[in-house]
Amino acid sequence: MTARYPDVAFPKAARAALSDSQLRANLRRATSTIRTRRRKVIADLDDFEALRRAGAYRRDRSLANLASLIEQFAERAAAAGARVHAAGNAEVACRTVYQILAAAGFREVLKVKSMTTMEIGLNDYLEQRGIKVKETDLAELIVQMAGDLPTHIVVPAIHKNRSQIRKLFLDEMGSRGVPPQLSDDPADLARAARQHLREQFLRAKVAVCGANFAIAETGSVVLVESEGNGRMCTTLASHLIVVVGIEKITQHFSDLQVYLQLLARSATGERLSPYTTVFTGTYQGDGPKQLDIVLVDNARSGILEDPIGREALRCIRCAACLNVCPVYERTGGAAYGSVYPGPIGAVLAPQLTGLVSEKVATSLPFASSLCGACFEVCPVRIDIPKLLVHLRAKAAAKASPGERLAMGALAHLFADERALGLAERTAGRLAGAIPRRLLELLPAVAAWSRGREVPLFSREPFRMRPLAHHVQPRPPRTHPASPESSPRDARPSWWPRTPRAYFRKINLSRPGRPPSSTTELAELTSRVRRALSSAPYPPTEEPGGWHRPGELHWPDAPDRFARALEELGAKVIRATEESLPQELAQRIHTSSARSVAIPRGLPPDWLGALGPDIEILVDDPPLGPDALDLVDWVITGAELAVAESGTIVLAGGANQGRRALSLIPDRHLVVLAASQVKPRLPDALGSLDPTAPLVLVTGPSATSDIEMSRVVGVHGPRHLEVILVEEGPNVVATSA
């Protein structure tokens, strides 16, 4: 059973977190590391601000047309072989997943990290009904073993250090082959997790994952991850269930040209995450035989009715706002009482149905200093400070009668200059006469004073000091008073508005009613249409300024590609068409390999120098997971490559093979022509078939979940080598 977040208001939860010095040290180290990495990779781009504006525009454009995009996605995904379900709320979503699993007789499921499944409480729901759930992401596995709570959107175990993780692994996995001499080195801990999960991946029957994006144009699902557990689950399981919030649906495949450049840089400080997988329905002989997609509303349609609050739905779950927030860095994620912590959680959690209680929801908008750092780093320009003020106004509207009476009295006091002056002079004369501690004991003051000090009033009000020091004060600017106007209406134009006037300007209406329990797609789209018709998005024009496909020409693109890939721990060998067989054979023999696996369309010329001592296994008929696990090397071609990020694109071509082939063996060697290297990601994506089984590989599998120490090689191949061939017609990828 997953631990539950404390149902207490943020101030009380934060006080408990602040007493944990180890937690604060872990958070400070991790968030500062991510900030440093982010600054470095963003400096590589001269169009990052333009990309932010383009990302915000494309997110809003998709949300403005969400009803039709839901219908289009469902139609295209179904045409590609998927079954699409709609869930109005968390209960219906969980029940839908359970019914799918129960109907197929599954009692155990592997799970890929997913914020949406955590939001709806899927793990607990399934466990209570006898279905065992196994988290496969390293950080989520740590949290699950510890019976703990995730505290970060991207790095859920950010609050754990390496010594705590080592002890946990020994306690939980010691009986399953983990040696007692296991060190706390992050590489050793990652190897222990790999060993613990390897057999389960190879035997996988069913898996559950989320999605970073869902593409309406093609019915495709996009999953971005680092370790390879996502590829393992979405490739090796015979049945895959995808649970995705409706706001993740985007209009075009070309939107990824913007989103993917923003996401990894903002989330983990990488140019691109090690693995980005795009799949559309099911593929014959490649991946799951059955695919179910559950579209989750859970109040998102209601949030769309709020022209201000709906900006939170732009979020692409990068957690950049958490990494710069001074409040989060000191309290951690559990204090927010929700799976969505930090600044984005403070504006998203109160708007989602049933995610937090009313007392937590009303306290979260105040869990911020309004410093604005979150807006400055948000890749899709969510104005979180504006949303926080908006939600604070809603919380103030629900204040107790006594608090409203006190605030109303203060509003009148601050609106009347003479009354305010009298109150200041009176307070100044009484300064020191009443002990401050006594004031803090008063019931009406106690709740307010717990987080503040009761100030001492000066005998000389600040507003009167210019007169006392013989400085001629600026004459007040007043509006001409009409016969009907009162002295209060003739206040200076620069005078601050009263709280009451401010609250009247803000829409205090709550989001729409929680969705009904129906799973009918028609009802879901109907709710979204009603929400958008009541508060339509204003028309906007697409911003420019970012580099679109074909606008950049880098003659040194192959050299940049080699440098970027080697920075990630891969090896790049330069060759000519004539020297390719010898270079390939040398790489295989140097590693003392005995066997290699190849796709059926690999050119025979490449293997001409291997010799008889190397067993060549052709993936035709398909090799089983156990056979691939015993292979020393897999050799494939590639569809394209990206110079800027060091990314290799596999698209299921004849010389690339199915997805499992390049995933399971420990060593992957890719042969790539220099002419296949594109300058930047948009150039590569613009050349691809979006419905092909796409995998973007950016270095070996990796993780930074243990004290932000990057460890190469987790669940995917631990070694990646590329032979970059200057030219050659036999090297260029061929389509399947």
Side-chain angles (χ1 to χ4, degrees), residues 223-490:
L223 183 64
V224 180
E225 48 119 7
S226 297
E227 299 172 10
N229 63 302
R231 286 186 68 192
M232 287 282 183
C233 290
T234 59
T235 302
L236 299 183
S238 60
H239 193 151
L240 178 64
I241 303 172
V242 182
V243 181
V244 56
I246 56 174
E247 85 282 8
K248 298 291 186 68
I249 297 178
T250 192
Q251 193 162 353
H252 300 298
F253 179 75
S254 60
D255 293 340
L256 297 181
Q257 297 174 7
V258 174
Y259 296 152
L260 294 182
Q261 291 191 83
L262 293 169
L263 179 57
R265 285 178 167 86
S266 301
T268 55
E270 298 171 294
R271 296 183 182 96
L272 202 65
S273 296
Y275 296 133
T276 300
T277 303
V278 184
F279 54 92
T280 308
T282 57
Y283 301 93
Q284 182 67 34
D286 187 354
K289 297 179 177 64
Q290 185 167 329
L291 173 65
D292 285 273
I293 302 173
V294 182
L295 300 176
V296 180
D297 184 346
N298 204 32
R300 287 160 172 81
S301 58
I303 297 174
L304 285 171
E305 293 181 8
D306 185 342
I308 298 177
R310 68 188 179 193
E311 196 171 318
L313 294 179
R314 282 188 201 162
C315 179
I316 58 175
R317 308 296 191 265
C318 71
C321 58
L322 279 68
N323 301 326
V324 298
C325 179
V327 177
Y328 173 85
E329 186 177 293
R330 288 156 180 80
T331 64
Y336 290 82
S338 157
V339 297
Y340 299 113
I344 188 61
V347 297
L348 187 58
Q351 300 186 83
L352 292 172
T353 300
L355 195 57
V356 292
S357 66
E358 186 71 13
K359 63 182 175 183
V360 176
T362 54
S363 72
L364 285 179
F366 298 90
S368 170
S369 64
L370 297 181
C371 67
C374 49
F375 172 67
E376 294 298 324
V377 300
C378 177
V380 288
R381 295 176 58 86
I382 301 173
D383 194 345
I384 294 178
K386 178 184 72 176
L387 300 185
L388 289 167
V389 173
H390 176 62
L391 293 174
R392 287 180 183 188
K394 291 189 174 187
K398 304 172 191 174
S400 64
E403 188 175 353
R404 288 202 300 271
L405 180 62
M407 290 297 141
L410 286 173
H412 283 288
L413 177 64
F414 284 110
D416 190 325
E417 184 176 1
R418 289 174 297 179
L420 178 61
L422 176 62
E424 288 176 330
R425 290 190 294 273
T426 303
R429 292 190 179 94
L430 294 176
I434 302 176
R436 299 175 75 191
R437 181 58 57 187
L438 180 61
L439 285 174
E440 294 175 5
L441 294 176
L442 295 175
V445 181
W448 182 87
S449 65
R450 287 193 191 102
R452 308 169 178 84
E453 290 186 356
V454 178
L456 283 173
F457 290 94
S458 172
R459 291 182 179 275
E460 181 186 34
F462 180 78
R463 293 185 307 118
M464 304 302 294
R465 289 188 184 185
L467 291 176
H469 292 283
H470 308 288
V471 177
Q472 184 65 34
R474 183 177 181 177
R477 295 174 293 173
T478 58
H479 294 291
S482 65
E484 297 82 17
S485 64
S486 67
R488 251 179 55 188
D489 296 322

Side-chain angles (χ1 to χ4, degrees), residues 391-582:
L391 293 174
R392 287 180 183 188
K394 291 189 174 187
K398 304 172 191 174
S400 64
E403 188 175 353
R404 288 202 300 271
L405 180 62
M407 290 297 141
L410 286 173
H412 283 288
L413 177 64
F414 284 110
D416 190 325
E417 184 176 1
R418 289 174 297 179
L420 178 61
L422 176 62
E424 288 176 330
R425 290 190 294 273
T426 303
R429 292 190 179 94
L430 294 176
I434 302 176
R436 299 175 75 191
R437 181 58 57 187
L438 180 61
L439 285 174
E440 294 175 5
L441 294 176
L442 295 175
V445 181
W448 182 87
S449 65
R450 287 193 191 102
R452 308 169 178 84
E453 290 186 356
V454 178
L456 283 173
F457 290 94
S458 172
R459 291 182 179 275
E460 181 186 34
F462 180 78
R463 293 185 307 118
M464 304 302 294
R465 289 188 184 185
L467 291 176
H469 292 283
H470 308 288
V471 177
Q472 184 65 34
R474 183 177 181 177
R477 295 174 293 173
T478 58
H479 294 291
S482 65
E484 297 82 17
S485 64
S486 67
R488 251 179 55 188
D489 296 322
R491 61 184 181 270
S493 61
W494 44 266
W495 191 270
R497 291 198 172 273
T498 65
R500 178 176 295 180
Y502 178 69
F503 290 148
R504 277 202 303 269
K505 289 176 67 67
I506 294 181
N507 179 11
L508 300 179
S509 63
R510 295 176 57 85
R513 288 189 297 178
S516 65
S517 60
T518 179
T519 60
E520 292 295 327
L521 192 67
E523 285 211 18
L524 173 58
T525 55
S526 177
R527 283 195 301 274
V528 174
R529 279 199 172 87
R530 286 197 299 270
L532 291 172
S533 63
S534 65
Y537 276 79
T540 56
E541 293 185 3
E542 180 169 8
W546 62 282
H547 298 304
R548 298 173 185 272
E551 291 183 352
L552 292 177
H553 302 281
W554 293 352
D556 62 340
D559 297 328
R560 294 195 188 197
F561 167 77
R563 287 195 298 270
L565 192 54
E566 286 173 340
E567 286 177 8
L568 297 170
K571 186 175 181 63
V572 180
I573 302 100
R574 308 300 286 263
T576 64
E577 184 180 357
E578 293 75 19
S579 66
L580 170 60
Q582 288 74 26

Side-chain angles (χ1 to χ4, degrees), residues 64-83:
N65 298 284
L66 187 56
S68 60
L69 294 185
I70 292 172
E71 293 172 338
Q72 185 182 16
F73 174 81
E75 177 187 348
R76 301 290 168 83
R83 297 191 305 182

